[in-house]
Amino acid sequence: MEAKLKTALQYLAVHSPYYKRVFAENNIDVSKINSLEDLQQLLTTTKEDFSKHNFDFLCVPKNKIVDYTTTSGTTGSPVTVALTENDLQRLAYNEEQSFITANGKLTDVYQLMLTLDRQFMAGMAYYLGIRKLGASAVRVGPISPQMQWENIQRFKPNAIVAVPSFILKLIDYAEANGIDVNQSGIERAVCIGEPVRNADLSANTLAKRIQEKWNIKLHSTYASTEMQTAFTECEYGKGGHLNSELLIVEILDDEGNQLNAGEFGEVTITSLGVEGMPLLRYRTGDVCCYYNEACECGRNTIRLSPVVGRKNQMLKYKGTTLFPPSIYDALSA
């Protein structure tokens, strides 16, 4: 990990207009950063930095860019993330490993219920991962439940990739049209965009509503366009597994101090192996905690909890900290 970190820092110092400027203005000598502990001596990068100086983060000539993606703009204006061919290969590897973590195998047929257009990374990433895994993809996209069921009945997928609340719409349509969801052949769902677990890793209201009607395994995921990496649950559902080849993760408090396992703070990432727009100590705005004990599946890297909220959406009420997801869950119940 330390060797990959040093390589990443040297790359930024040579190729990134933004980080070269930051290092010079703050008299930072990256050659003196030799460990993960040393990393905490460096400044963090905010979403505002990335948005304001977007193309100053580009480390390659524009003729090496093969794909332009944009962030969803959930917490501000959409930001461009440019990828090289090597970045696309890295993305495919990440998603292949994510599918393997979620019990994916060569013989699987995945129905993709998310967009592959509009410059969004997620659909492209999952499609590349399925190809690298060697499994089959049914690229249906985010169309109506009726069309989803027609394709399920035609192509017989055994897994789906979908937003959890859309899975409820599939169930509603099936019930209204005499379709037995438990005879559909779908065994599991890779869930994107919304959590299916509470902060204590128990199933949230959304997951319970799905599994009351449909006996499928739900695998929660956490990802962002900026970090070009995903955290995916294994069969034990104890948090999303880190692929430590691709990312360094810190959980920081408001003052920028590293928190201990089980303490909730801001997810802060340093990308490894990214060529186009690598990021250093990038504060995602997402609030999670991490677990560092070995998982029952045998993996030993840290795991992230579900996102309990976004830092800039935190509410204080009578001394209690609330985030919108907890309110949504209460409304769903």
Side-chain angles (χ1 to χ4, degrees):
M1 181 76 79
E2 281 78 7
K4 287 181 178 290
L5 171 60
K6 288 184 71 66
T7 298
L9 290 173
Q10 290 295 335
Y11 183 81
L12 291 173
V14 173
H15 298 287
S16 172
Y18 177 80
Y19 286 113
K20 280 197 288 188
R21 185 167 66 246
V22 168
F23 294 159
E25 289 173 352
N26 294 276
N27 297 314
I28 293 170
D29 181 357
V30 296
S31 67
K32 295 181 180 179
I33 306 299
N34 297 307
S35 67
L36 299 183
E37 290 73 23
D38 292 343
L39 184 61
Q40 296 175 36
Q41 300 172 21
L42 301 179
L43 299 173
T44 57
T45 305
T46 66
K47 282 179 174 284
E48 291 74 20
D49 295 329
F50 195 32
S51 177
K52 183 178 179 181
H53 307 284
N54 198 180
F55 279 94
D56 283 350
F57 285 83
L58 185 63
C59 293
V60 297
K62 286 194 173 181
N63 63 3
K64 287 201 68 176
I65 299 169
V66 297
D67 193 271
Y68 287 98
T69 64
T70 60
T71 62
S72 62
T74 304
T75 57
S77 299
V79 176
T80 297
V81 177
L83 291 85
T84 67
E85 179 60 35
N86 287 338
D87 292 336
L88 284 182
Q89 294 300 324
R90 176 187 179 279
L91 192 63
Y93 171 75
N94 166 76
E95 294 301 344
E96 176 200 29
Q97 294 305 305
S98 293
F99 280 119
I100 290 171
T101 300
N103 287 341
K105 52 190 181 299
L106 185 71
T107 54
D108 284 335
V109 179
Y110 290 91
Q111 186 153 314
L112 292 174
M113 302 181 180
L114 66 165
T115 184
L116 271 75
D117 58 5
R118 298 173 59 193
Q119 293 179 264
F120 286 172
M121 182 180 286
M124 175 181 67
Y126 285 112
Y127 177 64
L128 291 173
I130 290 168
R131 287 191 60 187
K132 191 166 181 63
L133 179 65
S136 302
V138 184
R139 295 182 291 109
V140 179
I143 58 175
S144 69
Q146 176 186 347
M147 295 295 292
Q148 300 290 353
W149 279 111
E150 288 178 4
N151 280 279
I152 289 171
Q153 292 164 341
R154 182 180 181 187
F155 295 107
K156 310 298 182 186
N158 66 314
I160 61 176
V161 181
V163 175
S165 56
F166 186 71
I167 298 176
L168 286 178
K169 296 181 184 295
L170 294 179
I171 294 171
D172 290 343
Y173 181 88
E175 289 182 335
N177 290 274
I179 298 171
D180 185 346
V181 294
N182 290 306
Q183 295 300 315
S184 64
I186 303 295
E187 301 166 354
R188 62 188 184 278
V190 175
C191 298
I192 69 164
E194 297 171 344
V196 293
R197 300 201 182 278
N198 298 309
D200 63 359
L201 299 177
S202 62
N204 65 12
T205 301
L206 185 54
K208 288 177 181 177
R209 289 177 63 194
I210 293 170
Q211 293 182 311
E212 281 170 2
K213 301 289 183 69
W214 201 348
N215 184 28
I216 56 174
K217 181 71 176 177
L218 302 178
H219 293 272
S220 185
T221 66
Y222 165 60
S224 76
T225 303
E226 298 98 313
M227 65 185 175
Q228 305 177 45
T229 314
F231 295 78
T232 303
E233 284 185 342
C234 67
E235 61 187 296
Y236 294 97
K238 300 298 183 182
H241 285 274
L242 166 69
N243 189 331
S244 58
E245 297 174 72
L246 303 181
L247 209 65
I248 294 170
V249 180
E250 302 170 84
I251 305 295
L252 303 181
D253 65 14
D254 290 343
E255 288 70 46
N257 301 309
Q258 172 70 38
L259 295 172
N260 296 318
E263 297 179 330
F264 284 90
E266 186 172 9
V267 178
T268 302
I269 63 95
T270 296
S271 46
L272 301 174
V274 172
E275 190 175 49
M277 285 184 162
L279 294 170
L280 173 63
R281 304 200 78 205
Y282 178 73
R283 301 189 77 132
T284 65
D286 297 324
V287 177
C288 293
C289 73
Y290 72 93
Y291 313 99
N292 55 9
E293 70 276 8
C295 183
E296 294 173 74
C297 70
R299 295 176 177 86
N300 294 309
T301 57
I302 68 165
R303 306 181 310 283
L304 283 190
S305 73
V307 175
V308 298
R310 295 186 185 275
K311 190 176 178 185
N312 63 353
Q313 296 175 343
M314 183 175 70
L315 307 172
K316 288 279 191 178
Y317 181 71
K318 293 184 177 180
T320 300
T321 299
L322 296 172
F323 290 97
S326 62
I327 298 172
Y328 301 154
D329 197 53
L331 291 172
S332 294

